[in-house]
Amino acid sequence: MFPKRENRIALISCHGDPAAEIGKEEAGGQNVYVRQVGMALAGLGWQVDMFTRKASAEQAAIVHHCEGCRTIRLVAGPEDFVPRDEIYGYVPDFVDAFQRFEAEEGVRYSLVHTNYWISAAIGMELKQRREIAQVHTYHSLGVVKYQNVSPVPMIAGTRLEVEKAVLKTAERIVATSPQEKEHMRSLMSSQGSIDIIPCGTNTEHFGSVGRNQARQALGIAADEKVVVYVGRFDPRKGIETLVRAIAASDWRNSGKLRLIIGGGSRPGHSDGKERERIEGIVQELGLASFTHFPGRLSREILPTYYAAADLVVVPSHYEPFGLVTIEAMACRVPVVGSSVGGLLYTVKPEETGLLAPPKDVGAFKEAIDRILNHPEWARQLGNNARKRVENLFSWQGVARQLSDLYEQILTEQATRKFADELYQQKLAEKPVRSLASELLEATLTDSSTRKPA
Ligand code: UDP
């Protein structure tokens, strides 16, 4: 009989713990992506194990998220926070720990979906050790990122090599926007197989709170003009551009303007330096009386912050996808974003928001004021934004596309394996014609039983 293909998959996110609190230190979009994808895939019947590096002795080794989906924290290097650029040295330890886990559990994954370049190296190392299919999502491309940051870190050369290699060796690359695919093709290689499957968001959660309700909950008056940023404190996020644009805004001295900069840890953490720098600029420009830093915002409270906003600003210098953008859009709020990366895909200028060149304070000021000055138009943009997210960026739709991709790869893999085995066993006994018809029959039978249990 033809073997049933695997129903168990491993997602690997070595530095982005899917069970971490989001919004602090280095925890951001990748953590959210892996967790949401994992849970949505479990909802489609997959057994999903999400592997990450254990970053403190107190952390649980296994976290159950829902039926069929868990995070597994492997010990690789110190059980302590290690900045992402320093984790690469622990790749072999991570692969050893992964294989030990498989042996202990009595499982053997046929497919890994790796996230970010460090996990790409883990998948490639696994492929060196045994047969396993790899799907890879970059989340950020070094070749683009390093055009926008200085100084370039020591690890850059290694990262670029790994990113180029995995494009060729993985069974499939998942680009989250047409722009990302274009960067891979123009800046990395013409080889490799790339599918475009965007990031998604929970359209029930984001969109569940109305504007009046949100403003009441946060103590914001109906006639205030509210501009919101949500995200990590990292220089590449461009928060400085937003702050300087607000300082130039027509609304600056109106007594009606409120700027909310959400996200980040308490002082003393790795992102504290950028937060202090931004707070310093806010003071220096005299914006402190109407600028608020609520710190890390929980998933529960986030829809309230978005819904209370007149607009959300995503002023990144570089943004591979930008989950905050589609979260805000799902809450019917227009977005003013930089004209870079995934934002060129998610934001439709003049339809769902506006785009401005990165670091261009004047252009951001113009875009912010246009939306603040035209509330009726802003509401229209917000409604269009919601529709765009429903059509293109819901987790259910995204997970379904990923599920189809895994299924296709695993079916091809199982068919190849089966054909090899059959060939070895039976070539000696049977005429080639009968072997071929057996294979054909097996493939047809399999295609009628494809859905995961
Ligand atoms: N986030 C959060 N709380 C915060 C700040 C950010 O939950 O206080 C979440 C945000 O909602 C989004 C993710 O962190 O889901 C950031 O993802 P994005 O792709 O926008 O940026 P990245 O962190 O990947 O650069």
Side-chain angles (χ1 to χ4, degrees), residues 423-443:
Y423 186 78
Q424 297 298 339
Q425 280 172 20
K426 299 199 175 172
L427 187 62
E429 310 158 17
K430 290 196 176 183
V432 172
R433 176 191 278 280
S434 113
L435 186 59
S437 57
E438 196 170 327
L439 257 177
L440 181 64
E441 194 185 326
T443 311

mmCIF file of all heavy atoms in Angstrom, residues 423-443:
data_model
loop_
_atom_site.group_PDB
_atom_site.id
_atom_site.type_symbol
_atom_site.label_atom_id
_atom_site.label_comp_id
_atom_site.label_asym_id
_atom_site.label_seq_id
_atom_site.Cartn_x
_atom_site.Cartn_y
_atom_site.Cartn_z
ATOM 1 N N TYR A 423 11.272 0.414 -6.464
ATOM 2 C CA TYR A 423 12.235 0.153 -7.533
ATOM 3 C C TYR A 423 13.291 -0.835 -7.046
ATOM 4 O O TYR A 423 13.580 -1.827 -7.696
ATOM 5 C CB TYR A 423 12.877 1.477 -7.942
ATOM 6 C CG TYR A 423 13.789 1.367 -9.140
ATOM 7 C CD1 TYR A 423 13.257 1.297 -10.424
ATOM 8 C CD2 TYR A 423 15.169 1.348 -8.973
ATOM 9 C CE1 TYR A 423 14.086 1.194 -11.515
ATOM 10 C CE2 TYR A 423 16.006 1.245 -10.061
ATOM 11 C CZ TYR A 423 15.463 1.172 -11.337
ATOM 12 O OH TYR A 423 16.277 1.068 -12.409
ATOM 13 N N GLN A 424 13.812 -0.568 -5.854
ATOM 14 C CA GLN A 424 14.846 -1.436 -5.296
ATOM 15 C C GLN A 424 14.315 -2.854 -5.093
ATOM 16 O O GLN A 424 14.948 -3.827 -5.467
ATOM 17 C CB GLN A 424 15.318 -0.920 -3.916
ATOM 18 C CG GLN A 424 15.973 0.437 -3.930
ATOM 19 C CD GLN A 424 17.252 0.455 -4.758
ATOM 20 O OE1 GLN A 424 17.864 -0.587 -4.999
ATOM 21 N NE2 GLN A 424 17.629 1.618 -5.230
ATOM 22 N N GLN A 425 13.123 -2.928 -4.483
ATOM 23 C CA GLN A 425 12.579 -4.242 -4.130
ATOM 24 C C GLN A 425 12.163 -5.061 -5.333
ATOM 25 O O GLN A 425 12.352 -6.255 -5.391
ATOM 26 C CB GLN A 425 11.326 -4.061 -3.257
ATOM 27 C CG GLN A 425 11.618 -3.772 -1.821
ATOM 28 C CD GLN A 425 10.319 -3.408 -1.116
ATOM 29 O OE1 GLN A 425 9.222 -3.731 -1.586
ATOM 30 N NE2 GLN A 425 10.445 -2.724 -0.003
ATOM 31 N N LYS A 426 11.513 -4.389 -6.272
ATOM 32 C CA LYS A 426 10.790 -5.172 -7.279
ATOM 33 C C LYS A 426 11.397 -5.204 -8.670
ATOM 34 O O LYS A 426 10.954 -5.974 -9.492
ATOM 35 C CB LYS A 426 9.357 -4.638 -7.367
ATOM 36 C CG LYS A 426 8.656 -4.784 -6.036
ATOM 37 C CD LYS A 426 7.165 -4.713 -6.198
ATOM 38 C CE LYS A 426 6.490 -4.996 -4.859
ATOM 39 N NZ LYS A 426 5.058 -4.750 -4.927
ATOM 40 N N LEU A 427 12.360 -4.372 -8.881
ATOM 41 C CA LEU A 427 12.892 -4.317 -10.245
ATOM 42 C C LEU A 427 13.357 -5.700 -10.693
ATOM 43 O O LEU A 427 13.109 -6.112 -11.824
ATOM 44 C CB LEU A 427 14.039 -3.303 -10.326
ATOM 45 C CG LEU A 427 14.550 -3.046 -11.732
ATOM 46 C CD1 LEU A 427 13.435 -2.462 -12.608
ATOM 47 C CD2 LEU A 427 15.735 -2.092 -11.729
ATOM 48 N N ALA A 428 13.977 -6.399 -9.760
ATOM 49 C CA ALA A 428 14.519 -7.699 -10.091
ATOM 50 C C ALA A 428 13.404 -8.698 -10.433
ATOM 51 O O ALA A 428 13.549 -9.524 -11.326
ATOM 52 C CB ALA A 428 15.330 -8.223 -8.921
ATOM 53 N N GLU A 429 12.229 -8.544 -9.728
ATOM 54 C CA GLU A 429 11.171 -9.547 -9.891
ATOM 55 C C GLU A 429 10.208 -9.245 -11.029
ATOM 56 O O GLU A 429 9.666 -10.148 -11.637
ATOM 57 C CB GLU A 429 10.314 -9.631 -8.622
ATOM 58 C CG GLU A 429 11.095 -9.765 -7.361
ATOM 59 C CD GLU A 429 10.268 -9.294 -6.167
ATOM 60 O OE1 GLU A 429 9.030 -9.187 -6.293
ATOM 61 O OE2 GLU A 429 10.868 -9.017 -5.122
ATOM 62 N N LYS A 430 9.927 -7.942 -11.270
ATOM 63 C CA LYS A 430 8.809 -7.622 -12.168
ATOM 64 C C LYS A 430 9.246 -6.931 -13.442
ATOM 65 O O LYS A 430 10.209 -6.187 -13.435
ATOM 66 C CB LYS A 430 7.861 -6.672 -11.444
ATOM 67 C CG LYS A 430 7.127 -7.320 -10.328
ATOM 68 C CD LYS A 430 5.955 -6.446 -9.950
ATOM 69 C CE LYS A 430 5.144 -7.144 -8.885
ATOM 70 N NZ LYS A 430 3.970 -6.405 -8.528
ATOM 71 N N PRO A 431 8.471 -7.112 -14.494
ATOM 72 C CA PRO A 431 8.758 -6.326 -15.694
ATOM 73 C C PRO A 431 8.498 -4.837 -15.428
ATOM 74 O O PRO A 431 7.636 -4.513 -14.625
ATOM 75 C CB PRO A 431 7.759 -6.857 -16.728
ATOM 76 C CG PRO A 431 6.934 -7.879 -16.051
ATOM 77 C CD PRO A 431 7.353 -8.024 -14.635
ATOM 78 N N VAL A 432 9.260 -3.972 -16.069
ATOM 79 C CA VAL A 432 9.174 -2.535 -15.814
ATOM 80 C C VAL A 432 7.758 -1.997 -16.034
ATOM 81 O O VAL A 432 7.259 -1.169 -15.295
ATOM 82 C CB VAL A 432 10.190 -1.787 -16.697
ATOM 83 C CG1 VAL A 432 9.981 -0.278 -16.606
ATOM 84 C CG2 VAL A 432 11.598 -2.144 -16.255
ATOM 85 N N ARG A 433 7.046 -2.521 -17.044
ATOM 86 C CA ARG A 433 5.704 -2.008 -17.357
ATOM 87 C C ARG A 433 4.766 -2.165 -16.145
ATOM 88 O O ARG A 433 4.044 -1.251 -15.769
ATOM 89 C CB ARG A 433 5.165 -2.757 -18.569
ATOM 90 C CG ARG A 433 3.740 -2.362 -18.923
ATOM 91 C CD ARG A 433 3.202 -3.342 -19.944
ATOM 92 N NE ARG A 433 3.634 -3.014 -21.292
ATOM 93 C CZ ARG A 433 3.049 -2.066 -22.038
ATOM 94 N NH1 ARG A 433 2.084 -1.343 -21.546
ATOM 95 N NH2 ARG A 433 3.450 -1.852 -23.259
ATOM 96 N N SER A 434 4.811 -3.332 -15.463
ATOM 97 C CA SER A 434 3.902 -3.542 -14.342
ATOM 98 C C SER A 434 4.308 -2.674 -13.150
ATOM 99 O O SER A 434 3.478 -2.181 -12.396
ATOM 100 C CB SER A 434 3.873 -5.032 -13.984
ATOM 101 O OG SER A 434 4.421 -5.269 -12.740
ATOM 102 N N LEU A 435 5.605 -2.443 -13.001
ATOM 103 C CA LEU A 435 6.089 -1.570 -11.925
ATOM 104 C C LEU A 435 5.561 -0.144 -12.127
ATOM 105 O O LEU A 435 5.070 0.498 -11.195
ATOM 106 C CB LEU A 435 7.621 -1.573 -11.959
ATOM 107 C CG LEU A 435 8.342 -0.840 -10.850
ATOM 108 C CD1 LEU A 435 7.972 -1.393 -9.488
ATOM 109 C CD2 LEU A 435 9.844 -0.917 -11.063
ATOM 110 N N ALA A 436 5.597 0.306 -13.371
ATOM 111 C CA ALA A 436 5.146 1.666 -13.686
ATOM 112 C C ALA A 436 3.661 1.817 -13.399
ATOM 113 O O ALA A 436 3.219 2.803 -12.822
ATOM 114 C CB ALA A 436 5.440 1.970 -15.152
ATOM 115 N N SER A 437 2.855 0.796 -13.755
ATOM 116 C CA SER A 437 1.413 0.948 -13.529
ATOM 117 C C SER A 437 1.108 0.901 -12.034
ATOM 118 O O SER A 437 0.196 1.582 -11.555
ATOM 119 C CB SER A 437 0.614 -0.090 -14.308
ATOM 120 O OG SER A 437 1.046 -1.369 -13.941
ATOM 121 N N GLU A 438 1.888 0.164 -11.254
ATOM 122 C CA GLU A 438 1.677 0.127 -9.802
ATOM 123 C C GLU A 438 1.941 1.509 -9.194
ATOM 124 O O GLU A 438 1.195 2.000 -8.352
ATOM 125 C CB GLU A 438 2.628 -0.901 -9.186
ATOM 126 C CG GLU A 438 2.228 -1.278 -7.773
ATOM 127 C CD GLU A 438 3.035 -2.464 -7.263
ATOM 128 O OE1 GLU A 438 3.398 -3.346 -8.078
ATOM 129 O OE2 GLU A 438 3.315 -2.488 -6.071
ATOM 130 N N LEU A 439 3.002 2.124 -9.682
ATOM 131 C CA LEU A 439 3.346 3.472 -9.205
ATOM 132 C C LEU A 439 2.257 4.477 -9.534
ATOM 133 O O LEU A 439 1.853 5.272 -8.698
ATOM 134 C CB LEU A 439 4.635 3.932 -9.892
ATOM 135 C CG LEU A 439 5.877 3.878 -9.062
ATOM 136 C CD1 LEU A 439 7.063 4.291 -9.919
ATOM 137 C CD2 LEU A 439 5.758 4.814 -7.857
ATOM 138 N N LEU A 440 1.764 4.410 -10.766
ATOM 139 C CA LEU A 440 0.737 5.340 -11.212
ATOM 140 C C LEU A 440 -0.514 5.179 -10.347
ATOM 141 O O LEU A 440 -1.097 6.149 -9.857
ATOM 142 C CB LEU A 440 0.418 5.078 -12.688
ATOM 143 C CG LEU A 440 -0.635 5.997 -13.292
ATOM 144 C CD1 LEU A 440 -0.133 7.433 -13.301
ATOM 145 C CD2 LEU A 440 -0.981 5.559 -14.712
ATOM 146 N N GLU A 441 -0.896 3.945 -10.112
ATOM 147 C CA GLU A 441 -2.092 3.655 -9.317
ATOM 148 C C GLU A 441 -1.923 4.209 -7.900
ATOM 149 O O GLU A 441 -2.812 4.842 -7.339
ATOM 150 C CB GLU A 441 -2.292 2.147 -9.278
ATOM 151 C CG GLU A 441 -3.671 1.771 -8.773
ATOM 152 C CD GLU A 441 -3.762 0.249 -8.636
ATOM 153 O OE1 GLU A 441 -3.131 -0.461 -9.463
ATOM 154 O OE2 GLU A 441 -4.417 -0.189 -7.704
ATOM 155 N N ALA A 442 -0.728 4.002 -7.341
ATOM 156 C CA ALA A 442 -0.458 4.470 -5.975
ATOM 157 C C ALA A 442 -0.562 5.985 -5.893
ATOM 158 O O ALA A 442 -1.137 6.542 -4.962
ATOM 159 C CB ALA A 442 0.932 4.012 -5.559
ATOM 160 N N THR A 443 -0.048 6.682 -6.886
ATOM 161 C CA THR A 443 -0.078 8.144 -6.879
ATOM 162 C C THR A 443 -1.508 8.647 -6.964
ATOM 163 O O THR A 443 -1.918 9.561 -6.272
ATOM 164 C CB THR A 443 0.732 8.700 -8.068
ATOM 165 O OG1 THR A 443 1.989 8.042 -8.058
ATOM 166 C CG2 THR A 443 0.925 10.197 -7.962
#
